[in-house]
Amino acid sequence: MTQVGIVGAGPAGLMLGHLLHLRGIDSVILENRSREYVIERVRAGVLEQGTVDLMREAGVGARLDREGMRHEGVYIAFRGRRHRVDMADLTGGRAITVYGQNEVVRDLIDARVGTGRPLDFDVSDVRLEGIETGRPVIHYRKAAGPQRITCEFIAGCDGFHGISRASIPSDRLQTYEKIYPFAWLGILANAPPSSPELVYSLHERGFALFSMRSDTVTRLYLQCRPDDDVAHWPDDRIWSELNARLRTDDGWQPNEGAIMQKGITPMRSFVVAPMRDGPLFLAGDAAHIVPPTGAKGLNLAMADVWRLADAFGHYYATGRDDRLKDYSARGLSRTWRAQRFSWWMTSMLHRNDSENPFDHERQLAELEYLVSSRAAMTSLAENYVGTPLE
Ligand code: APR
Ligand code: PHB
C-alpha cells in the first residue's frame, strides 16, 4: 500500500518521488531497466533556469552547482557566420545550464537512496489495474516472484514507450502527432569544446549542433535520414560532415577527438490530452514528446512533476482536489507552448528534402531576421531559457 505509485525512474519519476518525499508523502518507484542502464543512458543536457532552481530548492543541486556549465548566450550559424544571441541580456539575467540528463538521474537516484524510500530496478511485466474503479493496483514481477501494490494514485512517468498511457482506453484520449522526415546522429567525443557556448547551424548539407558535457568532452549532432543506421557512419565520415556543416568563415570548427558514443534519435512531436484518467496521472515523455532542437524534453518533464507534486501536496494537506483537477489543463498549456517553439526551431534549422528552393530561401530569410532583430532574438531567448514554474 502506498500513496503514490510511480512507474518509471527517469528524471520525471525520480524527481516526483523526491518532491513527494519533501512533502511527507510516500511513494514506490518501479523501473524495468537496471540502475546502471538508467544512469549511463546518454540523453540531452540543457537545463532551463526553472529546472536548475527546482533542483536547488529540492536540495539536489550541489553537484549541478559545482559541475554544471552556465551559458548566458547561444550561437546561431548559417551562411558561414556565427551570430551570438545574448540570452541573459534579453531576458533580465536568465540563462541555461549544460549538465547531462544522466547526471540529473544519478543525483536523483542518490537522493532517493538517501531517503530510504522504495526504488526498485529490473522489475518486469508492469501492469495497471483498477484505474476505472478508482482503486488502482500496480502488478509487476521481481526475481522473488509476482508483486502487487495498492495505491491511492498512480503517476505514469514511464516515457513514450511505457505502459501507463497505453493503459487508458484510447477513446478517452486525444493524440496529436507529427513525425519529421529526418533524425539526429549524436556523438560524445573526447575533445575539449572549441566554443564556450552551443552552436546551432543550418548548412546546405543539413543541420548540425555543437554542444558539450565538460571541459574535455564535446557533444555533437548532425541531421541524418530517419532510417539511417550508425553502421553507415564511420568516424571519419562523421567528422568530415560535422566540419563541413559547422566550420565558419572565421576558421572556427569543433575540436576532434576519440568518439566514445554514437546514437540516432528519431524526431517527433507528440501530445496526449488529457494528461489524467481518474487516479492515473501522466508526466514527462509518457504524455508528450518534443523534437530535441529546442532542448525542452527534460524541462517539460520537470515542470510536470513540480505541478503534480504541488497538487498532491495540496490534496493531502487540505483534502481538496482542485489542483489535481487543474493538472492536465495547466500542463497542456505549457506543453503546447514548448511544442510550438520546438517545431519552430526544428523547421528553421533543418533541410527538408520534400521542400522546394522557395522554402530554403525562406528559412535563410527567417535566420537573417532572427539575428538582426532584438525583438526576434528576445522571442528565441525567452523560450529557450524557459518560462518560470508558476
Ligand atoms: N515499467 C517500468 N518502467 C518503465 C516501463 C515500464 N513498463 N516502461 C518504461 N519505463 C522506464 C524507462 O526505462 C525509463 O527509465 O521509464 C523511464 C522513463 O524515463 P524517460 O524516458 O527518461 O522519460 P521522463 O522521465 O519523462 O523524462 C523525459 O527524457 O527522453 C528524454 O527528452 C526526454 O529529456 C526528456 C526526458
Ligand atoms: C545536448 O547537449 O545534448 C543538447 C543541446 C541542445 C539541444 C539538444 C541536445 O537542443
Side-chain angles (χ1 to χ4, degrees):
M1 174 79 197
T2 189
Q3 286 171 300
V4 183
I6 301 177
V7 186
L14 289 165
M15 183 56 117
L16 178 63
H18 190 65
L19 295 173
L20 293 177
H21 163 75
L22 295 176
R23 288 164 174 79
I25 299 169
D26 55 75
S27 64
V28 172
I29 307 181
L30 301 173
E31 164 63 50
N32 63 358
R33 300 289 193 150
S34 71
R35 179 185 176 133
E36 297 68 38
Y37 179 90
V38 171
I39 290 179
E40 277 155 29
R41 182 168 45 186
V42 179
R43 307 294 261 292
V46 169
L47 310 193
E48 292 178 359
Q49 183 76 57
T51 299
V52 171
D53 296 343
L54 177 63
M55 288 196 53
R56 283 190 189 134
E57 281 159 25
V60 288
R63 200 160 66 94
L64 167 66
D65 280 335
R66 284 198 308 276
E67 296 174 20
M69 296 175 280
R70 180 180 157 91
H71 287 192
E72 299 199 335
V74 62
Y75 288 96
I76 304 291
F78 59 99
R79 286 184 167 142
R81 292 189 56 200
R82 279 188 298 158
H83 305 262
R84 185 167 186 269
V85 177
D86 189 333
M87 298 183 294
D89 175 52
L90 294 161
T91 62
R94 295 172 71 79
I96 55 147
T97 298
V98 175
Y99 188 67
Q101 177 173 317
N102 57 315
E103 305 299 339
V104 172
V105 165
R106 186 193 300 268
D107 295 341
L108 290 170
I109 290 176
D110 288 348
R112 180 73 179 183
V113 170
T115 66
R117 291 191 188 269
L119 165 57
D120 264 352
F121 291 98
D122 300 304
V123 307
S124 57
D125 300 334
V126 179
R127 195 163 52 77
L128 310 185
E129 188 189 88
I131 305 299
E132 58 305 317
T133 61
R135 299 295 310 152
V137 178
I138 308 181
H139 295 268
Y140 61 103
R141 185 175 287 279
K142 288 215 287 200
Q147 314 282 323
R148 68 196 303 273
I149 302 178
T150 306
C151 312
E152 288 173 29
F153 297 100
I154 294 178
C157 301
D158 48 351
F160 185 66
H161 300 286
I163 51 93
S164 299
R165 190 180 68 253
S167 311
I168 305 175
S170 55
D171 60 356
R172 291 222 281 276
L173 294 178
Q174 177 94 40
T175 58
Y176 305 84
E177 182 161 38
K178 183 176 176 68
I179 309 236
Y180 297 86
F182 35 77
W184 280 13
L185 170 70
I187 63 160
L188 272 180
N190 236 327
S194 62
S195 155
E197 291 170 345
L198 272 58
V199 182
Y200 286 85
S201 172
L202 174 64
H203 184 271
E204 302 301 312
R205 303 180 64 82
F207 170 79
L209 169 60
F210 168 93
S211 179
M212 65 200 70
R213 286 292 178 272
S214 69
D215 293 346
T216 54
V217 175
T218 305
R219 176 91 170 132
L220 296 143
Y221 297 93
L222 51 87
Q223 174 181 353
C224 63
R225 294 160 46 92
D227 56 356
D228 231 328
D229 186 329
V230 283
H232 301 149
W233 288 91
D235 296 5
D236 52 352
R237 179 176 177 213
I238 294 180
W239 287 118
S240 88
E241 203 58 40
L242 281 168
N243 285 327
R245 297 187 195 183
L246 284 166
R247 190 187 300 122
T248 43
D249 295 345
D250 59 7
W252 179 80
Q253 65 179 52
N255 290 325
E256 293 186 20
I259 297 181
M260 301 179 282
Q261 192 266 347
K262 277 181 208 179
I264 291 183
T265 318
M267 311 261 286
R268 76 165 89 222
S269 302
F270 176 87
V271 178
V272 69
M275 293 169 69
R276 168 184 189 179
D277 189 42
L280 169 63
F281 292 80
L282 302 177
D285 278 15
H288 38 66
I289 295 284
V290 285
T293 328
K296 290 286 161 240
L298 169 65
N299 297 293
L300 267 185
M302 290 298 192
D304 283 346
V305 297
W306 174 80
R307 225 173 38 256
L308 190 52
D310 172 69
F312 282 136
H314 181 69
Y315 172 78
Y316 282 115
T318 66
R320 289 179 26 215
D321 66 355
D322 46 313
R323 294 193 195 165
L324 287 170
K325 282 189 170 139
D326 278 354
Y327 168 74
S328 175
R330 289 176 62 201
L332 284 164
S333 143
R334 191 177 184 98
T335 299
W336 279 112
R337 183 182 169 128
Q339 292 290 357
R340 199 269 330 153
F341 176 67
S342 306
W343 164 85
W344 172 73
M345 287 279 280
T346 302
S347 349
M348 177 171 67
L349 288 164
H350 290 75
R351 286 303 306 257
N352 186 341
D353 290 342
S354 68
E355 291 185 340
N356 65 33
F358 176 93
D359 295 298
H360 186 50
E361 292 303 317
R362 178 188 47 72
Q363 277 180 312
L364 292 169
E366 173 119 38
L367 287 161
E368 292 286 1
Y369 170 60
L370 170 65
V371 300
S372 61
S373 155
R374 190 171 168 91
M377 281 190 283
T378 304
S379 169
L380 175 115
E382 67 183 12
N383 283 288
Y384 197 73
V385 301
T387 40
L389 299 172
E390 72 315 313

